[in-house]
Amino acid sequence: MKKTITLVLFSLLFACGENNQKKHDADNGKTKSKATETATTLPSSDYSSLLLNYECDMTAAEVAKVFNIPESDVIPIETNMPNRCDFEIKGFGQNAAGGTAMRWGMAPFSKADSKKEIQSRLKDKENNESIFGMDIELSETGDCYITITPHIGGVDILNENYDGAFYFKYSQPAIYKRTAEQHAALTEKTIALANYLLKKHKR
């Protein structure tokens, strides 16, 4: 009887200790997770040529390679706008001109605004509160964030270390009679282009 009582008491003490340890581990896990989600300032490589001094450095052949489409489906569009690329991309819906007019380039954006936008997007993603498919992901270079705003046809590169951002615009699907599948595909191609340019300009 005495052995049974001792065994029961030992089991209870062990269970309490185990539960406390699990709670401690869980709390530590939550703390680490929260710290990871809120610590958005990342050490950064030099992206000055992209985020501050961009001049269009993409050819139709290069764009076609990134998009994995025929070069004949990429047509340069002449523009007088500085610090920007303009191309007509075929195969993702069309307007009167025959394809999707895409443009990308740098834009002034303060470090504080970048930080605010990144934190807001990360919080929405953490809470599963994405609106209209808006999203954010870490770039393949690991030191920038890529924000996706598909309902207006936009992707942006943000870096809190720069007073500048980089944008990609491919417009709303209705403008180009674009199907949902075509729009999703073009969004993914644009994200790939963002990662490509980051790698190309990383110093």
Side-chain angles (χ1 to χ4, degrees), residues 13-190:
L13 288 171
F14 179 78
C16 288
E18 190 179 40
N19 286 337
N20 286 335
Q21 183 62 41
K22 285 181 179 177
K23 185 177 186 301
H24 178 72
D25 292 343
D27 289 343
N28 279 345
K30 287 178 182 177
T31 302
K32 289 178 183 176
S33 176
K34 189 172 183 181
T36 301
E37 288 158 358
T38 56
T40 58
T41 303
L42 302 171
S44 177
S45 298
D46 184 354
Y47 294 105
S48 300
S49 61
L50 184 71
L51 301 176
L52 300 178
N53 305 303
Y54 184 71
E55 295 181 6
C56 186
D57 60 346
M58 298 285 288
T59 64
E62 197 173 6
V63 175
K65 185 176 180 180
V66 175
F67 276 38
N68 194 27
I69 58 177
E71 186 178 340
S72 58
D73 286 347
V74 183
I75 303 168
I77 299 174
E78 290 188 15
T79 177
N80 294 322
M81 297 297 293
N83 313 115
R84 180 175 117 182
C85 283
D86 288 71
F87 287 92
E88 180 186 335
I89 310 294
K90 294 183 179 180
F92 300 92
Q94 63 182 24
N95 62 5
T100 293
M102 279 194 70
R103 63 184 185 275
W104 55 87
M106 59 177 227
F109 206 63
S110 72
K111 296 175 185 176
D113 285 339
S114 286
K115 184 180 183 70
K116 183 178 179 181
E117 182 66 15
I118 290 168
Q119 288 184 334
S120 175
R121 294 279 189 128
L122 286 174
K123 183 178 179 181
D124 287 346
K125 185 168 186 173
E126 178 188 353
N127 296 329
N128 293 316
E129 294 178 352
S130 174
I131 302 173
F132 301 122
M134 294 169 64
D135 201 1
I136 184 171
E137 59 185 57
L138 191 63
S139 67
E140 291 178 3
T141 57
D143 52 6
C144 295
Y145 282 96
I146 297 174
T147 60
I148 304 106
T149 314
H151 65 289
I152 63 170
V155 167
D156 297 300
I157 298 172
L158 300 179
N159 185 314
E160 295 176 42
N161 299 283
Y162 287 89
D163 284 316
F166 203 87
Y167 69 89
F168 303 82
K169 300 297 181 189
Y170 49 97
S171 300
Q172 299 168 333
I175 295 176
Y176 290 100
K177 300 177 182 177
R178 191 184 299 142
T179 66
E181 291 76 17
Q182 287 175 323
H183 193 68
L186 187 53
T187 298
E188 290 303 314
K189 301 286 188 185
T190 306

